[in-house]
Amino acid sequence: MKTINRVIDICIEALSAIAALSLAFLLIGICYSTFSRVAFNKPLSNLVEYSTYSLLYVTFLGAPQILKNKGHINLDIVTNALPSKVNNILSLCIDVVGAIICACIFYFGLLVVTDNYNFSIKVMDSMGTPMWLLTIVIPVGMFFLVIQFIRNFFNDYDEFKKYKKVV
């Protein structure tokens, strides 16, 4: 099981690195476009499209790492007011609901990607980008979010069992 968890961690870190590179590309591209517009009066016409695409990649490829680090938004005002046992049960419920929602998005996202690929659908942009290149990050990110929610569930369940033994 440790080997599987290590492989999953490596995959999540790789996705996070791709998201970071996309964000770096976005930053450098916007800076260069601004400079070329001012200095040479020649802005990059495709940069807006690339920026939009990179935001999609950053969002879906970075989310599993954030979930792994428990970096998503929490309602501390609510959870701090609740007893530990209720917080534990709430975490378990959130893990289950999150996994189910992400699994549904994964499934339908995969259907969309296969349709986009099979029918050679292209984005109506200046480059004629294949749509599947944009939508592939949705099922990939959701797949790893499902896995991470399941891992979080087992971690939270272990905490719940420890809490039950103490009380």
Side-chain angles (χ1 to χ4, degrees), residues 123-163:
V123 179
M124 299 294 286
D125 62 3
S126 62
M127 301 170 294
T129 308
M131 182 69 95
W132 71 269
L133 284 175
L134 301 178
T135 56
I136 190 72
V137 296
I138 297 169
V140 169
M142 289 297 130
F143 175 76
F144 284 100
L145 277 172
V146 169
I147 290 174
Q148 191 57 50
F149 269 120
I150 292 169
R151 291 168 71 191
N152 286 355
F153 176 83
F154 285 114
N155 290 338
D156 290 340
Y157 185 71
D158 288 343
E159 288 295 318
F160 183 71
K161 286 192 310 189
K162 288 177 190 175
Y163 178 75

Side-chain angles (χ1 to χ4, degrees), residues 18 40 121 141 143 166:
I18 294 169
F40 309 120
I121 298 173
F143 175 76
V166 172

Side-chain angles (χ1 to χ4, degrees), residues 2-72:
K2 286 184 180 182
T3 307
I4 293 172
N5 278 332
R6 184 66 191 135
V7 169
I8 292 168
D9 285 339
I10 290 170
C11 290
I12 288 175
E13 288 170 10
L15 293 177
S16 182
I18 294 169
L21 288 173
S22 296
L23 193 58
F25 169 75
L26 173 66
L27 176 67
I28 291 168
I30 289 174
C31 289
Y32 177 75
S33 179
T34 303
F35 174 75
S36 67
R37 180 185 310 257
V38 171
F40 309 120
N41 199 20
K42 288 210 166 207
L44 295 175
S45 61
N46 297 338
L47 186 66
V48 172
E49 294 161 0
Y50 284 132
S51 300
T52 306
Y53 305 157
S54 67
L55 287 175
L56 189 67
Y57 274 71
V58 168
T59 301
F60 285 98
L61 298 182
Q65 181 71 33
I66 294 170
L67 181 63
K68 179 183 167 192
N69 296 338
K70 300 206 181 249
H72 287 281

